[in-house]
Amino acid sequence: MKVFQEALYGDHGQTLSIDEVVFAGHTGHQEALIFTNPVFGKVLALDGVVQLTELDNHVYHEMVAHVPAMAHGMPRDVLIIGGGDGGTLKEMLKHPVDSVVLVELDAEVIALSRKFFPDVSGGAFGDRRVTVTIGDGAAYVENTGRQFDLIVIDSTDPVGPGEVLFSDRFYRSCRSALRPGGIVSLQSGTPFYHAARLERQLEALERCFGSARPFLAPVPTYAHGLLALIVAAQADVFCPPLDLLRARFGTLDTTYYAPEVHHAAFAAAPLCFTRSSAPR
Ligand code: SAM
């Protein structure tokens, strides 16, 4: 049996059987592998790390997009850093936004995703509100004169090209590129394994923005099955009352996200700190 062994953690990991290799090659930035697995369906891995699978990518994309969008209430201009698969883009476009800029380092990730995971972006790249820029997200945010209501950092983990997107300097640039009332949203790894990293990131974001809170999403694709995400802003506006969220939700077309899930995701976040003394 052919297997894929994820190369993300030193002392534990996940192994997926490979039914069929759909694509394998270097993009110029990263080693890309797309294969099929009986449980997860089609799987995209970059540099040996699973990015998304057909099984549950909607959970991640809905939560990283709708939690900040619904907390904000009226986002007009949105910036997505990374996110070349187009899943976050698709979810963001469900809101009545005026514009979404997506800054992805690797054009090949967009091309591969559109070819092999067409449902993930679902035509989002063709939306007239979207501008795609190929380049480093940190450099873009530092140099853009534009201001945004939401910035979603849909990046790889803090190794390789994604590392810069976890720095204080990048967070400060994001703060400068946010309008008053703006919100940043990002993924922060698997909470039990990355407890100390999550706490450091929360502290850094709180120092930079004023307020930051973690929330959780079940994503079996990532080892441990539980993903921590963080939202940061000037004030703790992240969890509006349920009535308000329900009014904002209206007819939003989602599979996982719902106002009740929004509240539950924050309520469950103390789970993240059960092993906060772990030396990682
Ligand atoms: N949901 C996924 C996860 O959490 O594993 C992330 C998916 S998305 C494919 C991540 C994207 O971030 C990749 O396509 C990668 O090329 C992009 N990326 C990494 N570093 C970047 C940077 N510095 N600027 C812009 N995009 C970057």
Side-chain angles (χ1 to χ4, degrees), residues 120-200:
V120 171
S121 57
F125 287 105
D127 193 292
R128 57 171 181 75
R129 295 170 289 174
V130 174
T131 306
V132 174
T133 297
I134 302 302
D136 172 42
Y140 176 90
V141 179
E142 207 157 309
N143 297 315
T144 184
R146 288 195 60 177
Q147 296 248 298
F148 300 92
D149 300 303
L150 302 179
I151 300 178
V152 179
I153 307 164
D154 186 1
S155 70
T156 44
D157 285 282
V159 283
E163 192 172 354
V164 65
L165 304 179
F166 290 76
S167 68
D168 287 1
R169 180 175 170 155
F170 173 62
Y171 293 155
R172 282 195 297 275
S173 307
C174 287
R175 187 189 56 195
S176 304
L178 271 186
R179 291 199 179 108
I183 301 176
V184 166
S185 159
L186 51 103
Q187 63 100 352
S188 187
T190 54
F192 286 99
Y193 190 75
H194 290 133
R197 170 178 131 189
L198 175 60
E199 283 199 29
R200 276 198 306 275

Side-chain angles (χ1 to χ4, degrees), residues 8-107:
L8 186 56
Y9 310 109
D11 39 16
H12 84 114
Q14 56 176 353
T15 304
L16 279 69
S17 66
I18 298 177
D19 272 355
E20 185 197 349
V21 172
V22 176
F23 176 89
H26 203 273
T27 65
H29 289 280
Q30 313 167 85
E31 203 63 49
L33 175 67
I34 300 174
F35 63 93
T36 55
N37 170 273
V39 176
F40 292 98
K42 237 178 265 166
V43 178
L44 168 68
L46 295 174
D47 286 341
V49 178
V50 177
Q51 299 295 310
L52 65 89
T53 71
E54 285 180 325
L55 177 74
D56 57 16
N57 76 82
H58 65 286
V59 177
Y60 168 77
H61 291 134
E62 289 185 15
M63 292 301 275
V64 81
H66 297 315
V67 167
M70 295 284 287
H72 185 283
M74 188 71 78
R76 289 294 177 209
D77 300 299
V78 178
L79 174 63
I80 298 172
I81 302 293
D85 51 73
T88 301
L89 185 63
K90 180 177 80 178
E91 295 308 320
M92 210 45 101
L93 291 171
K94 292 178 179 174
H95 297 272
V97 295
D98 292 336
S99 76
V100 184
V101 177
L102 182 140
V103 185
E104 164 62 57
L105 184 71
D106 194 338

Side-chain angles (χ1 to χ4, degrees), residues 201-217:
Q201 217 175 346
L202 268 173
E203 280 165 20
L205 287 161
E206 209 162 51
R207 263 198 318 275
C208 183
F209 290 90
S211 186
R213 279 182 68 185
F215 61 103
L216 300 182

Side-chain angles (χ1 to χ4, degrees), residues 251-266:
T251 56
L252 197 71
D253 175 22
T254 58
T255 303
Y256 178 73
Y257 177 88
E260 296 76 11
V261 170
H262 186 127
H263 269 237
F266 285 93

